[in-house]
Amino acid sequence: MRIRFTKMQGAGNDFVVLDETRGTLGLDAAQYRFLADRHFGVGADQILSVRPSPAPGIDFQYVIHNADGGEVEQCGNGARCFMRFVRERQLTVKDAVRVQTLSGVIEPRMGADGRVTVDMGAPVFDLARVPFDPAGLDPQPEGGWHTWHLALGTHAGSAIVAVAVLSMGNPHAVQIVADVDTAPVAAQGPLIEHHPRFPQRVNAGFMQVVDRAHVRLRVFERGAGETLACGTGACAAVVAGIRLGLLDTRVDVQTRGGLLTIEWTADGAPVLMTGPAITVFEGDIEVPDPS
Ligand SMILES: N[C@H](CCC[C@H](N)C(=O)O)C(=O)O
């Protein structure tokens, strides 16, 4: 099957975007993996599908697949690219749209400076909804909140890490590190992603607090590995930092791929994320038939 795609990136988190507003392509996990493959396909961290409104008051549906082919609930950098995509292809004339995802409705808005701000909805702290299994663990008080001590690996060199656990519609485990450049992202990322206490796996954040309004962040993403930026990861990291008493309500997040600005005022309030959304190129590609 030959399909048309648009390659986009938000702070270096890159995407293959598919216009499925006039009918779904019916791709399976293997075909999503092919599109994401950086040698045999186009190459991307996630595949984003733009689909028609599923209900009155909603403009579009937004379907997200990780590079490993699995469908996931939310993608923040992708939401900004979604907004640029529907505007550039005249699928809407609105400056802001309401978009249905697996985890709820988000609202990206095009800014005058070309950056995009997304209302990502409120963070979720109910562990069962992350999901995270705390059985046998005691929360470790920190600031006004707490972290959880996870044992990583079983070999002699196994480490204990302290993670803040929350959901932005997708699961996040955030740890504070002294220096993101030397943080053990490659070693610990996979162990955290696949830790048995996260039955749906988890995105592993490594946050360095520079001051109360600036952090540096690296994320080993569920189903994609380390990406140059993770939008929901930046939201989760800032929310965790605010709850741990380390950050103010508006924070600049320096990722390896660019700058994101996150705002969150308090429990129940939505998280606002602002950042770039760039169209890199368009193309078409022959996708192998379903396996
Ligand atoms: N890997 C994530 C999905 C993509 C999130 C990230 N690319 C973002 O910008 O939020 C997960 O499995 O939950």
Side-chain angles (χ1 to χ4, degrees), residues 212-279:
R212 294 188 62 85
H214 300 86
V215 302
R216 300 175 70 210
L217 180 68
R218 290 171 68 183
V219 181
F220 189 93
E221 285 198 31
R222 176 180 63 171
E226 181 175 6
T227 57
L228 293 181
C230 178
T232 52
C235 295
V238 168
V239 167
I242 291 169
R243 287 199 110 196
L244 293 171
L246 303 170
L247 299 175
D248 291 337
T249 57
R250 178 189 168 93
V251 178
D252 281 346
V253 179
Q254 190 61 52
T255 75
R256 292 191 148 183
L259 178 72
L260 301 177
T261 300
I262 309 297
E263 297 171 83
W264 185 61
T265 54
D267 283 13
V271 183
L272 301 182
M273 169 193 60
T274 300
I278 307 294
T279 298

Side-chain angles (χ1 to χ4, degrees), residues 94-111:
K94 296 181 178 178
D95 285 333
V97 290
R98 287 173 54 78
V99 186
Q100 181 69 56
T101 70
L102 266 185
S103 65
V105 176
I106 57 172
E107 296 190 34
R109 171 178 297 278
M110 187 64 72

Side-chain angles (χ1 to χ4, degrees), residues 76-97:
N77 289 321
R80 299 196 312 276
C81 290
F82 189 108
M83 185 72 230
R84 178 164 303 289
F85 182 85
V86 295
R87 280 292 297 264
E88 285 184 347
R89 296 177 67 97
Q90 280 95 39
L91 295 173
T92 185
V93 294
K94 296 181 178 178
D95 285 333
V97 290

